Amino acid sequence: FIGLGLSSAIVYRCEEPQKTISTALIIAVVGGLFLSFFSFLSSSFVSSFFHEPTLGLMIRWISPILIFDSISTILYAGLVKELHFKRKAFVDISAIVLYSVVVLVLAVHGFGAWSLIIAYIIPASIAISAVKSAGRTVFIIIAYIIPAE
C-alpha cells in the first residue's frame, strides 16, 4: 500500500532511472507523510472506539514508521533494479537482527507492548540509512546515487 505500485514501476521502467526514482521518492514521501499525519490525527478516535486509552499514544508513536517505510520501499526497488541484492540483503538482515535484539531486551525489562513499538521504530529508521558498501556503512541514499565500485 505504501509503495503505491511505484516500486514495480521503478524496476520495470528502463528510460531515465534516476528521474524515475526521484519522482517515485517524492510521491512516496508525500504519501507517507499524508498517511502518517492521518494516523496521528485519527489515533484518539481509534483509541476511544476500542476503549483503550494507551492505544492512541501507541498509534502516535508508530505513525512515523509510515514515512520510513515509504522511503525504504522506493530505495529498495532501486537496489533491486540495479541487481544489488547483497546490499538489500544486508539491510534486511541487519534490521531483523536489530529488531529481535531490541524487542527481547525491552520485553525482558517489562516494557510490554511498548517493546514491539520501540523495537520496530529503531530498525525501520536504520533500515533506510544503513547499507554495506565497499566495507563501510554509508547512507543508502548516497550509496544508491553514487554506486560503489
Side-chain angles (χ1 to χ4, degrees):
F1 178 71
I2 289 177
L4 301 170
L6 295 172
S7 56
S8 298
I10 289 170
V11 173
Y12 175 75
R13 188 172 168 99
C14 296
E15 307 87 33
E16 301 180 16
Q18 291 295 79
K19 185 176 179 183
T20 304
I21 291 173
S22 298
T23 304
L25 193 57
I26 291 169
I27 293 169
V29 168
V30 169
L33 285 169
F34 173 76
L35 291 174
S36 179
F37 185 68
F38 178 75
S39 66
F40 189 85
L41 290 179
S42 65
S43 62
S44 58
F45 170 74
V46 172
S47 176
S48 63
F49 181 80
F50 287 106
H51 306 291
E52 187 63 44
T54 59
L55 183 61
L57 186 58
M58 289 179 175
I59 292 172
R60 282 187 215 110
W61 270 94
I62 207 161
S63 64
I65 296 295
L66 297 170
I67 299 168
F68 295 133
D69 283 349
S70 64
I71 294 169
S72 65
T73 299
I74 300 303
L75 296 175
Y76 281 164
L79 291 176
V80 169
K81 179 176 181 67
E82 293 188 358
L83 305 175
H84 292 294
F85 297 115
K86 284 185 184 178
R87 290 184 192 179
K88 184 178 181 322
F90 172 77
V91 174
D92 289 343
I93 292 169
S94 299
I96 290 169
V97 168
L98 182 62
Y99 173 81
S100 301
V101 168
V102 171
V103 78
L104 288 173
V105 168
L106 292 175
V108 166
H109 285 86
F111 280 83
W114 284 101
S115 62
L116 296 171
I117 293 170
I118 294 168
Y120 192 69
I121 290 172
I122 293 170
S125 58
I126 291 174
I128 65 166
S129 62
V131 69
K132 192 74 170 175
S133 173
R136 66 188 186 283
T137 302
V138 296
F139 288 107
I140 193 167
I141 296 169
I142 295 169
Y144 180 75
I145 294 171
I146 306 169
E149 280 112 314

